[in-house]
Amino acid sequence: EIASCLVGSEMCIRDSVIGLVEDPAGERILLVENSRRPGYLTLVAGYVDVGETLEAAFAREVWEETGRRVSDVRYVRSQPWPLSGALMLGMAARTADTDAQAPTDGELTRTVWASRDELDSLTLAAEGTVARALIDYWADIPNTPTPEGAHPWR
């Protein structure tokens, strides 16, 4: 999807969210394979609707694509994505839903829960992408949740 609106000579940027979804213990993350871009695992992503907050957009995308509810949704980092005219806004969240709780929109071919130890054996999003940066950053921090259940990087 390419941003197509013009304001004067300025092109509109489509905000999109992409992010990590951790299990309740913070020991695994939910990776997905998109049916339009098969061959590697990445993170849940999608566009922000008009009038929607980043947090609400990410929660909606996770629900629509994986059938899981999320909480503790937070912004982490961003990256411009010129291929689609988007600004990718990296998010993080937790879910208590290990399994899908609702039908999904069919955008994904599979979802995989992966621990830090399993990441090296998987084909992941390319280096230099915000998805890979989020995955690598998560993999490098020890699983030492704070009393509130959130990792220090959040």
Side-chain angles (χ1 to χ4, degrees):
E1 206 172 317
I2 296 177
S4 59
C5 63
L6 295 175
V7 179
S9 62
E10 306 281 329
M11 185 172 200
C12 293
I13 296 175
R14 294 281 318 265
D15 292 334
S16 59
V17 288
I18 186 167
L20 288 168
V21 176
E22 292 181 300
D23 71 4
E27 296 174 353
R28 298 179 301 163
I29 55 173
L30 188 64
L31 299 173
V32 301
E33 182 177 42
N34 189 292
S35 61
R36 291 182 289 166
R37 292 175 297 284
Y40 65 95
L41 294 167
T42 188
L43 303 173
V44 173
Y47 288 99
V48 179
D49 289 340
V50 173
E52 194 173 38
T53 67
L54 301 177
E55 295 84 359
F58 187 62
R60 176 184 50 76
E61 287 293 339
V62 173
W63 177 253
E64 290 174 357
E65 293 182 11
T66 75
R68 291 167 173 88
R69 297 164 295 219
V70 293
S71 62
D72 191 27
V73 181
R74 298 180 190 261
Y75 167 82
V76 179
R77 63 177 297 164
S78 65
Q79 175 184 32
W81 197 251
L83 297 174
S84 64
L87 177 62
M88 303 289 289
L89 299 149
M91 310 296 287
R94 289 248 169 141
T95 185
D97 299 335
T98 305
D99 297 314
Q101 302 298 305
T104 64
D105 63 9
E107 189 173 324
L108 306 175
T109 54
R110 66 182 170 138
T111 58
V112 175
W113 283 107
S115 68
R116 288 169 177 82
D117 292 338
E118 294 168 321
L119 292 175
D120 286 339
S121 66
L122 302 171
T123 303
L124 300 172
E127 296 282 340
T129 63
V130 70
R132 185 59 176 269
L134 290 168
I135 293 167
D136 289 348
Y137 192 79
W138 178 84
D140 288 341
I141 60 170
N143 184 24
T144 53
T146 64
E148 303 85 43
H151 284 282
W153 65 282
R154 300 211 220 128

